Amino acid sequence: MYDLIIVGSGPAGLSAAVYGKRAGFNVLVLEKNSMSGGQVLNTYEVDNYLGLPGMNGFDMGMTFRKHADDMGVTFVNKEMTRITDAGKYKVVTVSGGKEEQIYETKTVILATGASHAALQVPGEDRLRGRGVSYCATCDGAFFKEGTVAVVGGGDVAVEDAIFLARFCKKVYLIHRRDTLRAAKSLQDKLFSCENVEVIWDSVVEEICGQEQVEGARVKHLKEEQQVLSLDGVFIAVGLYPNTEIFKEVVACDEKGYVIAGEECTTNVPGIYVAGDVRTKKVRQIATAVADGANAVVSAEKYINSFV
Ligand code: NAP
């Protein structure tokens, strides 16, 4: 019987693992991928995490993992396929080889993260982290005085374009329709930015460049195709939480995020949630790491309530 099983090994999961060990728990981390770090691994450089400025995303993932390893955390490279609430304890089923394997634990922290929707166009994957980004807050500063495009028409795309307009020379907002989905107040701000140009009714067909983004081939749905010269492309076409496996077990909002506040408690006693997978305003490494700590403190209170 574990004290704590953490599902996911991004910043939230690894932070929870370190705090869990510090609390004297018998901790197991389940990780689906062969490497820890989560979305950080796909980030070329992280410049907004306190104390580690300009660190390569891969190195940051490895640094976080080493901290957990040094604390003696046990990692298992297996995917959770089911979680069952058996009252005072939880049963976590994982896939592995021919047979399923079962772990019992007093508490679980769900830290499975969220994934950015992709455009699925040529060049996107190859140039990810080389000018293609899914996070303007994280990567925008690398494009000072540059020319960038944001793809999408929702709140995130419009907020990203406004944010980037503060320090980029030129920002294109490329949207597939002739009206934005974003809130009116955001649209008003966007239209007041002199260096933002909205390209309506248009889709990106290819992101071009050898080593780095150099441009994008954009198809106007009613007119000619055009090629834009760009330093960066920010894709903001939606985010989806990785909650498929447990959305019937814990309460989620209409978009699929696990409903939880700063204490990271779900509607099920003994099951906690940390990081991008929970309802929250700001999804950043710093907020994920904070969640890891909060979730363990909540789990500790729960375990102590039985003593
Ligand atoms: P979203 O509201 O779902 O918007 C996604 C945008 O991407 C839409 O404009 C959509 O176009 C476009 N899109 C989707 N797939 C595409 C594709 N394959 N190619 C081109 N364009 C594509 O998602 P979001 O902007 O990430 O926001 C997520 C949620 O967070 C929303 O509920 C939002 O309201 C909320 N949020 C709120 C705030 C705030 O209150 N300040 C800030 C950020 C986010 P269509 O419009 O044509 O569908």
Side-chain angles (χ1 to χ4, degrees):
M1 172 79 70
Y2 285 94
D3 294 315
L4 171 63
I5 290 185
I6 298 162
V7 189
S9 62
L14 293 174
S15 165
V18 168
Y19 272 80
K21 270 292 185 189
R22 293 267 303 161
F25 287 169
N26 180 9
V27 180
L28 174 70
V29 178
L30 297 175
E31 52 181 4
K32 186 166 129 182
N33 300 319
S34 54
M35 249 181 267
S36 306
Q39 291 177 67
V40 172
L41 290 179
N42 299 323
T43 307
Y44 177 66
E45 202 172 308
V46 180
D47 216 12
N48 58 1
Y49 190 71
L50 189 67
L52 300 174
M55 189 178 249
N56 171 283
F58 181 83
D59 292 344
M60 182 168 274
M62 295 307 107
T63 303
F64 289 169
R65 167 66 190 253
K66 183 174 182 307
H67 191 169
D69 280 337
D70 290 349
M71 302 281 291
V73 174
T74 307
F75 287 82
V76 169
N77 194 199
K78 282 182 179 156
E79 186 176 355
M80 178 175 83
T81 51
R82 197 162 54 244
I83 175 168
T84 314
D85 178 21
K88 262 193 170 179
Y89 68 98
K90 320 290 160 203
V91 181
V92 172
T93 309
V94 298
S95 64
K98 286 177 198 143
E99 287 172 18
E100 284 190 329
Q101 204 173 335
I102 277 169
Y103 298 105
E104 289 177 349
T105 178
K106 293 176 191 165
T107 59
V108 173
I109 295 177
L110 304 168
T112 49
S115 306
H116 290 278
L119 287 178
Q120 295 179 315
V121 296
E124 181 180 14
D125 257 354
R126 187 172 51 80
L127 295 167
R128 189 182 282 233
R130 297 166 182 272
V132 171
S133 168
Y134 298 81
C135 179
T137 323
C138 320
D139 301 331
F142 300 120
F143 298 88
K144 271 192 188 119
E145 295 304 318
T147 299
V148 299
V150 177
V151 186
D155 285 334
V156 171
V158 171
E159 275 190 349
D160 284 359
I162 296 166
F163 171 73
L164 292 163
R166 288 193 211 134
F167 46 85
C168 290
K169 190 168 67 192
K170 173 92 186 177
V171 178
Y172 294 100
L173 180 76
I174 303 169
H175 183 39
R176 62 184 178 185
R177 293 187 296 123
D178 62 359
T179 51
L180 296 169
R181 184 181 291 279
K184 167 87 171 54
S185 55
L186 285 174
Q187 293 195 33
D188 289 346
K189 258 193 215 162
L190 179 86
F191 297 137
S192 71
C193 298
E194 283 176 4
N195 56 343
V196 174
E197 181 180 334
V198 183
I199 304 185
W200 302 103
D201 294 312
S202 298
V203 291
V204 171
E205 289 204 320
E206 183 182 359
I207 299 172
C208 320
Q210 292 300 316
E211 295 299 314
Q212 286 283 326
V213 165
E214 290 165 20
R217 201 156 47 77
V218 178
K219 183 174 167 33
H220 194 289
L221 297 171
K222 295 168 189 164
E223 293 165 21
E224 298 277 285
Q225 214 178 55
Q226 61 174 315
V227 176
L228 295 177
S229 240
L230 300 168
D231 303 303
V233 178
F234 290 85
I235 298 167
V237 296
L239 189 71
Y240 56 92
N242 301 319
T243 48
E244 200 51 40
I245 298 156
F246 47 80
K247 65 177 190 218
E248 310 298 336
V249 180
V250 290
C252 297
D253 72 1
E254 72 289 351
K255 294 194 179 103
Y257 291 96
V258 181
I259 299 169
E262 201 188 342
E263 291 185 348
C264 300
T265 51
T266 70
N267 61 316
V268 180
I271 303 184
Y272 305 89
V273 64
D276 285 8
V277 69
R278 82 164 170 97
T279 49
K280 55 158 69 183
K281 284 241 152 102
V282 182
R283 294 193 165 84
Q284 292 283 295
I285 301 170
T287 61
V289 167
D291 276 5
N294 278 311
V296 169
V297 170
S298 296
E300 204 175 358
K301 270 191 207 152
Y302 172 79
I303 289 178
N304 288 342
S305 70
F306 294 108
V307 181

